[in-house]
Amino acid sequence: MIIEIENIKYYFQIKGVGKPIICLHGFSENLSTWNLLKLEGYQLILIDFIGHGKSDKPYSRKYYSLKVMIKHLNKIIYELNLKKYSMLGYSMGGRIALAYAIAYSNEIDKLILESTSYGEAGFINRLKRRRKDLNLAKSILKDGIEWFDDYWSNLSIFESQRKLSKSITDEIRKRRLSNRTYALSNTLMCSGQGKFPCMKSNIRKLSMPLLYISGEYDKKYRHVGENFKKFNANIKHETIKGVGHNTHIEDPNAFIEVLSKFL
């Protein structure tokens, strides 16, 4: 299904019946990353971000900013006539979900963040990350989508995915290769971690129940999850054993069990 917001077409799917949960995918992914997610009594609303999946991929960078992404996401939800809903975000989608929950906290019932960041703390750290994102954006444009797939799949945070079945890794690769180089580049430069504001102080103000999920082998985001708990007593941190960064694909049954218990 398609919803058009300010001349940008967004693709989404609705699965199941019950309480609504908005599901947001990670960088270079699309809504099919949630294919194995099934929750009894919940309606899953899966959305392709701008520049990803079957949503529009405009050349203009202005549409890829965090401000516009948050505004358009809210308009999509308004068009779906949702007043109260939960939100689930993985990696980049988790950052967007966090920023959205801070902006529209009165609408969020529960917030679930999987392997995500609250933003780089400190000007120097943000500057370093911005340069790293810019260099990657340039490399994607220069070397192409197959180079990106090879580079991204060999990052240490995805090492544990090498034990997955070929059918699953082929699906992950298919999603990455379906991207346009300029759209990924625009995403990195306009809403990547280097451009994302540090939201540590905002986390303290969140009042809704919040679950942070990390994988046992993902040391960086396990540590981030512990920091989330320190910032806000409402936050619960669960670590799924035997998996890395993408817990919902590496062990979907364990992910569903943790998520269902929280919900």
Side-chain angles (χ1 to χ4, degrees), residues 151-163:
Y151 166 81
W152 202 249
S153 63
N154 281 292
L155 292 175
S156 59
I157 59 172
F158 298 126
E159 185 177 353
S160 55
Q161 291 186 13
R162 292 168 197 163
K163 68 180 182 182

Side-chain angles (χ1 to χ4, degrees), residues 5-20:
I5 308 294
E6 296 178 358
N7 299 317
I8 300 295
K9 294 183 179 68
Y10 288 91
Y11 179 72
F12 69 99
Q13 292 180 3
I14 297 177
K15 294 184 177 182
V17 177
K19 295 180 179 179

Side-chain angles (χ1 to χ4, degrees), residues 61-126:
R61 290 179 186 168
K62 69 179 183 180
Y63 295 107
Y64 295 82
S65 71
L66 178 64
K67 182 179 179 180
V68 171
M69 291 176 80
I70 296 296
K71 181 176 74 170
H72 282 197
L73 181 56
N74 183 251
K75 286 180 179 291
I76 292 169
I77 292 168
Y78 179 81
E79 289 289 328
L80 294 172
N81 200 31
L82 299 177
K83 307 298 182 186
K84 198 78 173 177
Y85 45 89
S86 295
M87 188 168 279
L88 161 63
Y90 159 69
S91 199
M92 179 188 81
R95 284 190 283 114
I96 306 300
L98 176 61
Y100 184 95
I102 289 167
Y104 299 98
S105 58
N106 60 316
E107 298 181 16
I108 304 291
D109 185 25
K110 293 182 175 71
L111 180 63
I112 305 100
L113 305 177
E114 177 192 0
S115 307
T116 196
S117 168
Y118 45 75
E120 295 285 352
F123 173 78
I124 298 299
N125 287 334
R126 283 198 300 277

